[in-house]
Amino acid sequence: MRTTLLIIFTALLGGCLGMPESVKPVTGFELNHYLGKWYEVARLDHSFERGLSQVTAEYSVRNDGGISVLNRGYSKEKKKWKEAEGKAFFVNSPTDGYLKVSFFGPFYGSYVVFELDRENYSYAFVSGPNTDYLWLLSRTPSVAPEVIEKFVRMSKERGFDTSRLIYVQQQ
């Protein structure tokens, strides 16, 4: 019985660390260039972000070698800011854009950077553990139309339902 519970618990903890079969993390990832503030330009909606505008994510190095994550968005309905603090760690190598992130204790989910402006780190396309999770992040509140077109094309090619994309209102 104890072994069965241990197997179930391990499966639950690691169950969200996969990625869509069609998604591959970028290689040559440089964390120091990725740190700092990012604006959410587009996403597939989820309950934890529903109704939020002005969404940002900030990444910084933790003392334990991990990465601090601070997600923030404004709820117009509630007229207040919502914040979530988390932590992230590389799953394989620090040069692969494949991390696990947690906002809820021991439970981690995948954070897979599958496209990146390598010259300036000005935009990133990010997937979660399956095709229900997708984000376009940028260093600025908006991006050029070509970046959105590339994001939609690459995401659609990888099986994401881009007809459900929400374009985040930024100020």
Side-chain angles (χ1 to χ4, degrees), residues 34-39 56-60 67-72 83-84 86 139:
Y34 201 81
L35 297 174
K37 186 174 188 173
W38 290 85
Y39 294 87
T56 59
E58 290 191 51
Y59 305 100
S60 58
I67 302 156
S68 287
V69 181
L70 176 62
N71 288 348
R72 190 168 195 252
E83 287 188 351
R139 294 296 189 171

Side-chain angles (χ1 to χ4, degrees), residues 5 8 10 17-19 25 27 38 42 45 59 66 81 84-85 92 103-105 114 120-121 129-130 155 157 171:
L5 287 174
I8 291 170
T10 302
L17 288 183
M19 68 183 84
T27 57
W38 290 85
D45 208 22
Y59 305 100
W81 289 93
E85 290 185 51
N92 296 323
F103 292 95
F104 311 105
F114 66 91
N120 301 309
Y121 277 62
N130 58 49
S155 299
E157 288 170 355
Q171 287 185 348

Side-chain angles (χ1 to χ4, degrees), residues 81-159:
W81 289 93
K82 181 179 175 184
E83 287 188 351
E85 290 185 51
K87 57 188 174 184
F89 298 92
F90 286 98
V91 174
N92 296 323
S93 161
T95 60
D96 290 340
Y98 180 26
L99 297 98
K100 60 182 183 177
V101 64
S102 175
F103 292 95
F104 311 105
F107 303 102
Y108 284 87
S110 293
Y111 182 101
V112 185
V113 179
F114 66 91
E115 178 63 11
L116 182 64
D117 167 29
R118 296 192 183 256
E119 188 174 329
N120 301 309
Y121 277 62
S122 64
Y123 66 81
F125 304 169
V126 180
S127 168
N130 58 49
T131 57
D132 291 330
Y133 298 88
L134 178 68
W135 296 269
L136 165 54
L137 303 179
S138 173
R139 294 296 189 171
T140 56
S142 62
V143 296
E146 308 85 66
V147 175
I148 291 176
E149 289 168 14
K150 182 178 182 179
F151 174 68
V152 171
R153 178 180 44 79
M154 289 183 72
S155 299
K156 191 179 282 189
E157 288 170 355
R158 284 160 178 76

